[in-house]
Amino acid sequence: MTLTLVISIVIIIGLSVLALLTTLWSKKAAKARASIGLEGLKQLIGIIKLIQQHRGLHSAFLNGKADYKAKLSSLETDIQHRFTVLQQFEETHSYKQGFGTKALQLRWQRLIQTHLQSSNESFRAHSGAISRLLDTLWDVADKFGLTTHPDEKIRELAAQFVRNIPELTESIGQIRALSVQAASHHELSADKKLQLLYTLSRIESRLVGLDQYYSEKSLKHIASFIGVIRQGTENQSLGDQDPDTLFKEATSVIDQLYEGVLKGFSTLHEKVLS
């Protein structure tokens, strides 16, 4: 064996080892990056959930539920704290693109500082802020490789727990705000009725296929609540119901969905690291 051949073999082996090490390092870095992204998603989900609650309470407050003022103040403090935590998380990991926390926080601060005079204005302003946060969820999942992951199961779980189910919680959150609004005002206007019926139909279509992620008991609970709201909307009795009871029932349903989302994130985390 000539010296030239030996050198060539050594070079080939060295390049192969280098390629293998590069691949292993790349996979390790991708796992770490996806893991960090999932932690950021949890922070965002917590903010969305609280702003959804704030929308429901604020709608009722503007329709005469003065006792909700203290609850709103407490929620605003909690939301501000969570934005601060997310910003610190963003800075700790030195993201160049980040989650856009400052812009999201600024939009929220403008919302609560604006003198919203009607429940309709409040509903639109809150829903706009929540819509942007939901878009950010998907953007973060994309930035951290969850939506484009080579594992089909990971992509499927990301689609469900980062987009589909959070959007379902938002539809139910809208139902909560609209129904509490009607009950607080003791009236269900024609436009509110149409809005409720449209949103209810969207919810019912989104519930299809969730049996692989939620228990039969949970899905029955959700379906029962939706049935009550649909009946109250169709027979015009929603305005006669107790707003506190409606808010609590809707919140219970939304909490169940969010519990499933967090479990889904845990499953995603396990699969990403496996």
Side-chain angles (χ1 to χ4, degrees), residues 166-176 199 202-203 206:
E167 287 181 357
L168 173 60
T169 70
E170 170 55 5
S171 292
I172 297 177
Q174 290 180 12
I175 290 294
R176 174 175 58 189
T199 309
R202 289 187 63 194
I203 291 169
R206 286 183 181 277

Side-chain angles (χ1 to χ4, degrees), residues 1-10:
M1 184 179 293
T2 65
L3 180 60
T4 301
L5 182 57
V6 170
I7 293 172
S8 297
I9 292 171
V10 170

